[in-house]
Amino acid sequence: MHYVFITGGVASSLGKGIASAAIATLLKSRNFKVRIRKLDPYLNVDPGTMSPYQHGEVYVTDDGAETDLDLGHYERFTNQSAKKSDSISSGKIYSNVLNKERKGDYLGATIQVIPHVTNEIKDFINSDLNKEDIVIYEIGGTVGDIESLPFLEAIRQIRNDRNTSSALIHMTYIPYLSSAGELKTKPTQHSVKELLNAGIQPDIIMCRSERPIDKDSISKISLFCNVKQDSVIPALNAKSIYEVPSLYSKYGLDEILLKHLKYNPKNYSLNLNPWKKLLNKIDSQKFTVIIGVVGKYTNLKDSYKSLNEALIHGGIQNSTKVEIKWINAEKLNSKNVKDLLKNCNGILVPGGFGLRGIGGKIEAIKYSRLNNIPFFGICLGMQLAVIEIARNLLKIKSANSSEFKSTSKSVVGLMTEWVKGNKIEKRNINSDKGGTMRLGSYKAKLKKNTKIYSIYKKNEIFERHRHRYEVNTKYIKRFNDKGFIFSGMSPDGILPEVLESKNHPWFIGVQFHPELKSRPLSPHPLFVSFIKSCLK
Ligand code: GLN
């Protein structure tokens, strides 16, 4: 078993997650059994309770973990499903340590960062492995942050252990100073010093840069950072993120990494054909559609990372370039709805939480329903479609979700009980907020002769969920009478999973998050079908 650690320096948001995923792709494309995991330095136990503005999207795994959005990149690039045990935060590490202390596991000892916290990190790194050839660990944050120190110390100790083979890749940023007309390597030198302070010498330095990196800069980095020239790898911007693996390979990253791990790259040939085919498809797109995404966190694209990618995947399959028009729901109202949405070929209302922006999203749904524009509602988007139809078509004027208002006409209400495996989960209004939603993969049954059935072509599906509220089944019949059917239900028939219109070209709301399972090499059928209908 070999470990690869990936740290970041100089600045955040360098795309370290995509880089790590691309490295995993390269190794997988050489037939290695690869696993990729994330260590996050923040003190939240998981990102589940953080605003997307803090942290980007919360990515949900099949086994119900709320994790960092980088796990989404890992899945999309490696085509492998991540697990709960593929990510951890300082908060979780500390909470494990404190629980052990209370249980008396360390009786007699003073609990300290070294060795107790660092041992907990090392235990995580070595835990739950499954005979992988290479396991990649991406360390969140930037070297030099106080919170990341224990992680660096744990990595130092692991690398110091003679029985482990590992490589450390440090990703930095090389800024261009236009006044000097030069790329500057000093920030990189300083961030490598930070690593050295922690007792870690990187093996490979990856340099993010907006401009090609000249030979002189490479030599300088090599000299000052004590890394061989062939291990200083430019990481330049790509046309599409799916081009990143081939770009890195062009600079020899995979070969050099394998050499650091004492493999002979010649014995493991690289096959990037599926990715090359994908890039060809992207280059030869014939059509364009504009999709209006009406959401609350539209200022930060990372808030809807998987959605953004899933729409692109759906487009690739249809030879179509998808342009997303991000529309701030709080700025949309009955007066400007037409202006804002008139050139959209499709409208999507994504998941979300809380009251803000609800009015705008409901207006957008009404507009797409009345104007026969393809509509896709995801989780909150589906719940709001239910509210819109209840108010405007069933004439239940005070119809609402109990998430926003307590009313006797809650067409969407708090989920108090559901079946998970062979257990019944129970919640009430006072339950903790962290990790208590209906999370992860659940089965849904699809009704025959419905649009959703024709899309999935099967009657049982597994999709990932993340919600606390559910559609109230009391109103199902009244919806049916108006041509709206719940064409997917939980296996016990209690939780509506899919809403569709019988009379509209494409009006579908789903309680789950299909975007989490879409991958560039296997796009999600719902997104493929949605984009196809938007093309018409
Ligand atoms: N806020 C809604 C709920 O908890 C929808 C959640 C979501 O869109 N992920 O059910």
Side-chain angles (χ1 to χ4, degrees), residues 172-189 207-221 224 232-237 251:
T172 72
Y173 179 58
I174 316 283
Y176 177 79
L177 267 196
S178 52
S179 57
E182 261 186 342
L183 287 167
K184 290 292 175 192
T185 65
K186 193 74 85 190
T188 296
Q189 297 174 35
C207 306
R208 289 282 291 123
S209 171
E210 256 106 35
R211 304 203 167 209
I213 305 175
D214 52 283
K215 269 217 167 80
D216 279 355
S217 301
I218 300 266
S219 323
K220 234 185 200 170
I221 295 168
F224 285 102
V232 180
I233 308 280
L236 309 179
N237 291 346
Y251 289 108

Side-chain angles (χ1 to χ4, degrees), residues 350-354 378-381 383 403 437 466-470 511 513:
F353 294 82
I378 294 181
C379 207
L380 181 68
Q383 297 173 358
E403 180 174 5
M437 281 186 262
R466 181 175 186 242
H467 63 127
R468 216 184 292 284
Y469 295 84
E470 59 169 324
Q511 186 57 78
H513 288 273

Side-chain angles (χ1 to χ4, degrees), residues 267-302:
N267 299 337
Y268 304 88
S269 63
L270 177 68
N271 174 11
L272 280 180
N273 287 342
W275 295 94
K276 285 190 186 139
K277 272 192 204 145
L278 181 82
L279 292 173
N280 281 340
K281 270 193 189 166
I282 295 177
D283 281 340
S284 55
Q285 284 169 342
K286 294 195 280 282
F287 318 106
T288 303
V289 290
I290 301 174
I291 305 296
V293 176
V294 185
K296 194 164 64 169
Y297 314 105
T298 45
N299 284 341
L300 179 73
K301 304 288 168 295
D302 271 359

Side-chain angles (χ1 to χ4, degrees), residues 99-148:
N99 284 339
K100 285 186 186 167
E101 187 273 337
R102 289 291 84 184
K103 264 172 61 197
D105 288 3
Y106 311 115
L107 272 190
T110 305
I111 313 302
Q112 293 179 299
V113 173
I114 309 172
H116 299 96
V117 171
T118 46
N119 280 352
E120 192 67 32
I121 297 172
K122 279 161 56 182
D123 286 349
F124 169 76
I125 290 175
N126 294 318
S127 70
D128 194 37
L129 296 176
N130 200 4
K131 298 207 172 71
E132 289 85 359
D133 301 312
I134 302 171
V135 190
I136 300 172
Y137 292 87
E138 181 195 344
I139 323 301
T142 308
V143 164
D145 298 344
I146 290 183
E147 289 89 354
S148 56

Side-chain angles (χ1 to χ4, degrees), residues 154-184:
I155 292 171
R156 185 195 67 77
Q157 292 178 19
I158 290 180
R159 279 166 65 79
N160 193 35
D161 176 353
R162 279 177 212 293
N163 296 322
T164 29
S165 151
S166 76
L168 192 130
I169 301 178
H170 187 55
M171 180 167 236
T172 72
Y173 179 58
I174 316 283
Y176 177 79
L177 267 196
S178 52
S179 57
E182 261 186 342
L183 287 167
K184 290 292 175 192

Side-chain angles (χ1 to χ4, degrees), residues 195-242:
L195 267 183
L196 289 171
N197 271 341
I200 294 174
Q201 165 67 48
D203 299 303
I204 295 175
I205 298 183
M206 293 183 65
C207 306
R208 289 282 291 123
S209 171
E210 256 106 35
R211 304 203 167 209
I213 305 175
D214 52 283
K215 269 217 167 80
D216 279 355
S217 301
I218 300 266
S219 323
K220 234 185 200 170
I221 295 168
S222 160
L223 179 69
F224 285 102
C225 302
N226 201 18
V227 168
K228 294 211 168 52
Q229 288 212 14
D230 60 4
S231 299
V232 180
I233 308 280
L236 309 179
N237 291 346
K239 292 199 295 283
S240 149
I241 56 169
Y242 301 119

